[in-house]
Amino acid sequence: MSHSGTTLILIMSIAVLAPLLAYAVGRRLPVPLVIFEILLGILVGPDVLGWAHTGPLIDGLSELGLAMLIFLAGYEIEFGKVRGDTLRRSVGAWLVALALGLGAGVLLGDGFHKGVFIGVALTSTALGTVLPVLRDAGDLHGRFGTVVMAFGAVGEFGPIIAMTLLLSGRNAAQSTVLLAIFAVLTAGAVFWALRPRPPWFSRIIARTMHTSGQFAVRFVFLLLALMLGASQALGLDVLLGAFAAGLITRLVLTGAAPESGPAILEKVEAVGFGFLVPVFFVVTGIEFDLDSLLDGGRTLLLLPVFLLLFVVVRGGPVWFLAPGDLVRRDRSALVLYESTALPLVVAITTIGLDDKALTAGEAAALVGAGMLSVLALPILAMKIRATAGGAPGAGVRKTVTGSESW
């Protein structure tokens, strides 16, 4: 059997084993599923057992998994809730984080070129990783979940824009023009998505929902392919297209088939979280350069430094600009959730390695810090809310009339 075939079997075996381990450990400690996927990937990878190796097929599936993760994060955004003052605060917090991140990156990277990669990575939020944790805890659809979603959406979308403008290798003017063209295309797609769909559209969705036709699911993946293709044709990062596709898909399905939307999302999530997304996280573990990290010296010291900077650079502005109606415990939990980073860190370090701006050790330290953030910060956030009596929908101050201040 080819190396790719053997590696794919190992990846899918880990994808099956990881939920079992998460369930067994979760009765004592709620460890995010992705941690088991990444750690088991490291175990079977070249630096430990040496059983799994990447190649064109595995890399392609991993890239699709990352795109699907970002797509699902975009789909979760509810425009009716993520707007107004909360959105303005989210954007402001990220812009401050970008300034702090670039400053810290330049100091640590001893130069602007390397510092940009480090700085942008420090501003990211792993929204696609955080949302399942919130959903499983029952916090996703309350006020607290809405705020996490708003800040997290900007923390996911902002770094993708920054990657396009600062890390593409083009001059800023050219990148801005291409980004503007993509924005116009996306705006046109949003306008189309908001238009009423003809009656036959919703009928076909309903009639094929439980047949081999699966019109709605195929339509969703067509939208994803179109947006990925548009971003790639313009020389932009495909993650930008994936996020935009998630936003557009939600608008289309909400307008055309609101009653079927949850069922369609379940089917798309089954493909994403059942196959493609686990491939991405396991491959992240397989490709993790453990030897470079454990060489000691500066590289190993950078790991806790980067983890602290995730909290300070990304979380600090979130603390100060969080909506005033959040009580202290929820503000603290919000900081921890927003400081959780990994998928975009992997993407940014991959570009940095290809560009020879980052060393293997620096990339491993950044990814390692991202892994630790995914492991530790959501657990701490959940414990803070649980210890303080947090519950779904809780965490907002009451006005003098007794009504919730949202």
Side-chain angles (χ1 to χ4, degrees):
M1 184 180 292
S2 67
H3 285 306
S4 294
T6 302
T7 298
L8 186 58
I9 290 174
L10 286 170
I11 289 172
M12 297 318 300
S13 298
I14 290 172
V16 172
L17 178 60
L20 299 178
L21 293 175
Y23 174 76
V25 175
R27 288 178 290 182
R28 296 177 178 270
L29 186 67
V31 179
L33 174 62
V34 300
I35 293 300
F36 294 101
E37 294 169 344
I38 294 172
L39 291 179
L40 290 172
I42 293 174
L43 179 64
V44 302
D47 288 348
V48 184
L49 296 177
W51 294 349
H53 303 273
T54 57
L57 173 62
I58 302 301
D59 288 340
L61 290 174
S62 177
E63 290 173 4
L64 282 175
L66 177 56
M68 178 58 71
L69 185 66
I70 302 301
F71 168 84
L72 290 171
Y75 187 95
E76 289 282 5
I77 305 302
E78 299 182 42
F79 282 100
K81 296 180 178 179
V82 182
R83 61 182 181 182
D85 181 64
T86 300
L87 182 58
R88 287 191 294 271
R89 289 173 178 270
S90 304
V91 173
W94 184 81
L95 289 175
V96 174
L98 180 62
L100 293 175
L102 291 175
V106 169
L107 291 175
L108 286 173
D110 194 25
F112 182 77
H113 187 50
K114 180 182 293 187
V116 171
F117 285 91
I118 296 174
V120 174
L122 293 176
T123 68
S124 66
T125 295
L127 182 62
T129 305
V130 167
L131 288 180
V133 175
L134 288 172
R135 185 187 297 112
D136 293 343
D139 287 334
L140 183 59
H141 298 294
R143 168 60 172 164
F144 177 73
T146 299
V147 176
V148 173
M149 190 182 300
F151 278 78
V154 177
E156 191 103 59
F157 192 67
I160 295 175
I161 298 295
M163 289 167 65
T164 300
L165 293 175
L166 303 176
L167 308 181
S168 64
R170 295 184 294 265
N171 62 65
Q174 185 180 9
S175 296
T176 302
V177 170
L178 292 174
L179 190 60
I181 294 173
F182 182 81
V184 171
L185 292 175
T186 303
V190 169
F191 176 77
W192 169 81
L194 292 173
R195 295 183 62 188
R197 304 267 76 79
W200 63 264
F201 190 84
S202 56
R203 286 200 300 268
I204 291 294
I205 288 177
R207 291 176 182 175
T208 61
M209 181 67 69
H210 303 292
T211 70
S212 60
Q214 295 294 327
F215 172 77
V217 176
R218 298 183 187 198
F219 182 77
V220 167
F221 282 105
L222 172 61
L223 287 178
L224 175 58
L226 287 172
M227 295 309 295
L228 292 179
S231 58
Q232 191 171 41
L234 292 171
L236 305 175
D237 196 289
V238 294
L239 300 184
L240 188 62
F243 196 87
L247 298 174
I248 293 167
T249 299
R250 185 182 188 93
L251 293 175
V252 172
L253 296 182
T254 300
E259 69 288 343
S260 302
I264 297 169
L265 179 60
E266 286 181 4
K267 292 175 181 288
V268 176
E269 284 184 331
V271 177
F273 292 124
F275 175 45
L276 292 173
V277 174
V279 172
F280 164 71
F281 283 117
V282 176
V283 170
T284 297
I286 293 173
E287 294 182 336
F288 184 72
D289 197 337
L290 188 63
D291 286 344
S292 294
L293 182 65
L294 297 181
D295 277 346
R298 179 177 182 271
T299 298
L300 193 57
L301 289 175
L302 280 176
L303 191 149
V305 171
F306 284 143
L307 179 59
L308 177 62
L309 285 175
F310 281 137
V311 178
V312 174
V313 170
R314 179 69 182 117
V318 170
W319 171 270
F320 288 105
L321 290 175
D325 61 323
L326 289 188
V327 296
R328 188 179 184 86
R329 66 167 182 269
D330 285 341
R331 190 178 291 256
S332 300
L334 176 66
V335 166
L336 294 173
Y337 277 127
E338 299 306 327
S339 303
T340 302
L342 184 60
L344 289 180
V345 174
V346 173
I348 291 168
T349 54
T350 299
I351 297 172
L353 287 172
D354 292 341
D355 199 45
K356 294 182 172 51
L358 298 177
T359 65
E362 290 166 337
L366 264 172
V367 175
M371 290 165 52
L372 288 178
S373 76
V374 170
L375 171 62
L377 300 186
I379 294 175
L380 289 175
M382 286 188 289
K383 282 188 173 296
I384 287 173
R385 298 199 78 225
T387 302
V396 291
R397 295 194 181 98
K398 301 291 185 178
T399 65
V400 292
T401 60
S403 60
E404 291 181 343
S405 175
W406 279 32

